[in-house]
Amino acid sequence: MTENEPPKPPYFLVLEESGSGAHPLTISAAGRGAIPLFSSALSARDFLASTDFEADLTPVEVSVERLVQTLEAHRGLVEYVAHDPPPAEEGGAKVRMGKLSDLSDSLKERARNAAGLFDIGGPSSN
């Protein structure tokens, strides 16, 4: 994966259960508000085990569609996504960050392009 390429599935978010439903965990990474996005349930659990969060948190695999919906719902509230942040005891470890809006736009574009591969009834080559 290149530096500018969005992460590939699977996607895991850490969700917090509350009276109003499930919401993604937000963290401060490199002094910036971010939604942590994990590539496996194990990396999400390792991260959570290293924290002192008191909320009821669960790693959940999400589809591309649900990830995009979640990112879109948090535009303006959180500016970044932290990809596979390391456990807290690995202090000083580099966290790969990207703008939430860029990831959301990239995933939507990827989905549009994939859908275009299967269009039927498009322009004729006659």
Side-chain angles (χ1 to χ4, degrees):
M1 175 174 11
T2 65
E3 190 66 27
N4 294 329
E5 185 179 328
K8 292 183 173 37
Y11 303 113
F12 288 84
L13 291 173
V14 174
L15 300 181
E16 178 179 358
E17 298 293 331
S18 70
S20 60
H23 304 282
L25 174 68
T26 58
I27 61 172
S28 178
R32 300 174 178 152
I35 293 175
L37 177 64
F38 297 93
S39 57
S40 72
L42 179 60
S43 60
R45 282 193 292 273
D46 287 348
F47 174 80
L48 288 174
S50 74
T51 69
D52 59 358
F53 297 136
E54 295 179 11
D56 184 18
L57 301 169
T58 308
V60 175
E61 184 171 7
V62 295
S63 65
V64 173
E65 294 80 15
R66 180 151 181 216
L67 178 58
V68 169
Q69 289 171 347
T70 300
L71 296 176
E72 289 296 316
H74 289 81
R75 257 190 213 238
L77 301 173
V78 178
E79 192 174 354
Y80 293 91
V81 174
H83 187 255
D84 280 326
E89 66 266 4
E90 294 179 25
K94 185 175 179 182
V95 177
R96 190 166 142 221
M97 306 266 293
K99 286 200 169 233
L100 181 146
S101 58
D102 291 347
L103 177 56
S104 180
D105 293 346
S106 237
L107 292 172
K108 288 189 287 187
E109 182 66 25
R110 186 187 288 169
R112 275 193 297 273
N113 289 341
L117 295 175
F118 301 103
D119 281 349
I120 298 175
S124 171
S125 59
N126 303 21

